[in-house]
Amino acid sequence: MTNSIINYQDQAAIHAVTKGVVVCDRSHWGRIKVGDDDRLRFLHNQSTNDFQSLKPGEGCDTVMVTSTARTIDLVTGYVLQDEVLLLVSPDQQEFLMNWLDRYIFFADKVTLTDVTEETATLSLIGPESDAIIDKLGAGALIGKPSGNHILVDNKIFAVGSGLTNPGYTLIFPVTEKQKTWEQILNYGAIELNNSGWETLRILQGRPVPNAELTDDYNPLEVGLWQTVSFNKGCYIGQETIARLNTYKGVKQYLWGIRLNSPAEPGTVITIGEEKVGKLTSYTASPDGYFGLGYIRVKAGGVGLKVQVGNSEGEVISIPFVSHEYP
């Protein structure tokens, strides 16, 4: 049965996310280096966002999709001077390396390198993260747009925590990990472990592969409009996404669901006898039980009362996604 309680350590860290600062070890996430002359054009053609408009020091979130616009992964790309560094979901780097490699043709100047094992990733999350970033020598980033990044002492410091809370993400050689981790804790950050991150990402609606990101859903249904460029040229899945947007063809949306008892991911969401969707993720939180699920557009949205197995639920909005073009 899914956990129905949240432990004290996670509660304290989740509280600190809104009032102070936490540090989360995301080194188990994948990191792929994309190099050579055609790197920006290649990523531009293989994902939903506009890479060719980005300059070194900038970055963006993008969605890797199939030819029919089904979601594979939500990826963050950082454009460096001579390469692009992709931060991908845990255990997705090998699949994405193979998937991207299929689209490198003979004349393309593109190289792919899995640098997951030789690098580490830490995220600072919370309103007091600015103070720590300043102490680490990257204060020039404060106030910059999400995705902007600078190199300090061989470390990439980037704006964005991976969640909707303010924060920063650091990517650097794994040999520096222990020292950097201790430094950040000494500056006053509280540790957010993987279970705490999982609770936060569900509360905020950040989708993950094999749950919200699967062959069953496209980026507009997920609510990742901010990662989709409708102005750039052709890319994998572009025709399907453009058609869905033009003809208002989105039939279901990802929503948050406040529950009155625990529920299992995969459970059918119903109104009376009618099936209207499916629960994709569940967590206990400091404020009760919470899930993510896809619900048919015609059934309704915020405020809708639903049944999720034996649990009663109410549909609420979630900050990570939106259901219209920003």
Side-chain angles (χ1 to χ4, degrees):
M1 182 62 187
T2 310
N3 286 344
S4 58
I5 59 171
I6 183 167
N7 66 46
Y8 176 77
Q9 182 186 5
D10 287 355
Q11 283 194 49
I14 289 168
H15 179 74
V17 163
T18 57
K19 302 291 185 185
V21 57
V22 302
V23 58
C24 183
D25 184 358
R26 296 172 67 196
S27 300
H28 59 296
W29 290 54
R31 287 165 292 280
I32 298 171
K33 209 177 267 186
V34 185
D36 219 334
D37 293 350
D38 294 332
R39 60 191 179 277
L40 286 177
R41 180 186 60 80
F42 176 73
L43 289 171
H44 192 84
N45 292 342
Q46 309 310 323
S47 70
T48 57
N49 219 331
D50 184 354
F51 271 91
Q52 288 190 304
S53 69
L54 297 178
K55 300 176 177 59
E58 297 178 336
C60 68
D61 284 346
T62 193
V63 184
M64 300 294 182
V65 293
T66 68
S67 58
T68 54
R70 301 300 182 170
T71 55
I72 298 171
D73 196 12
L74 173 60
V75 171
T76 304
Y78 301 108
V79 179
L80 308 176
Q81 203 63 45
D82 299 312
E83 59 204 22
V84 180
L85 184 60
L86 302 179
L87 181 62
V88 310
S89 294
D91 302 318
Q92 293 299 303
Q93 63 269 23
E94 184 177 350
F95 176 86
L96 284 172
M97 286 274 293
N98 293 332
W99 181 76
L100 288 169
D101 189 60
R102 285 167 38 201
Y103 294 98
I104 299 176
F105 300 110
F106 181 73
D108 292 336
K109 293 184 177 179
V110 179
T111 60
L112 301 172
T113 311
D114 182 351
V115 294
T116 304
E117 294 299 320
E118 63 203 59
T119 54
T121 298
L122 304 179
S123 282
L124 287 163
I125 313 168
E128 293 183 10
S129 54
D130 285 355
I132 293 180
I133 280 296
D134 196 34
K135 289 174 182 173
L136 292 171
L141 277 179
I142 296 172
K144 298 285 176 136
S146 181
N148 277 36
H149 53 90
I150 58 175
L151 199 61
V152 179
D153 296 332
N154 209 24
K155 296 183 182 74
I156 297 169
F157 289 79
V159 179
S161 66
L163 298 170
T164 57
N165 307 89
Y168 300 87
T169 294
L170 288 64
I171 303 174
F172 51 90
V174 70
T175 51
E176 295 285 309
K177 181 180 174 182
Q178 191 60 35
K179 177 185 170 186
T180 306
W181 177 261
E182 290 173 2
Q183 203 173 10
I184 289 170
L185 290 178
N186 287 336
Y187 287 147
I190 295 173
E191 179 183 353
L192 178 75
N193 60 26
N194 289 338
S195 63
W197 169 277
E198 178 69 1
T199 293
L200 280 171
R201 78 102 193 150
I202 294 172
L203 290 173
Q204 297 190 6
R206 179 182 173 120
V208 296
N210 304 315
E212 292 77 35
L213 303 176
T214 74
D215 272 347
D216 295 325
Y217 311 112
N218 64 63
L220 304 190
E221 291 173 330
V222 187
L224 295 173
W225 292 75
Q226 75 276 16
T227 69
V228 178
S229 169
F230 290 100
N231 302 317
K232 71 173 188 170
C234 189
Y235 62 92
I236 290 177
Q238 183 258 345
E239 288 183 12
T240 301
I241 291 174
R243 197 162 56 244
L244 285 167
N245 182 45
T246 300
Y247 298 107
K248 310 298 180 196
V250 179
K251 292 183 169 58
Q252 58 190 342
Y253 281 132
L254 182 66
W255 292 103
I257 306 170
R258 190 178 287 119
L259 301 162
N260 69 351
S261 62
E264 286 287 340
T267 302
V268 170
I269 300 170
T270 57
I271 299 175
E273 298 296 314
E274 184 184 5
K275 175 184 174 182
V276 296
K278 185 175 81 170
L279 193 74
T280 55
S281 292
Y282 162 83
T283 186
S285 82
D287 298 318
Y289 311 111
F290 193 83
L292 295 175
Y294 285 94
I295 294 175
R296 286 213 311 263
V297 171
K298 288 181 179 177
V302 173
L304 184 70
K305 299 292 195 293
V306 294
Q307 193 76 25
V308 186
N310 295 322
S311 181
E312 295 174 1
E314 180 182 350
V315 174
I316 65 170
S317 61
I318 36 180
F320 199 91
V321 305
S322 62
H323 296 318
E324 59 186 6
Y325 193 64

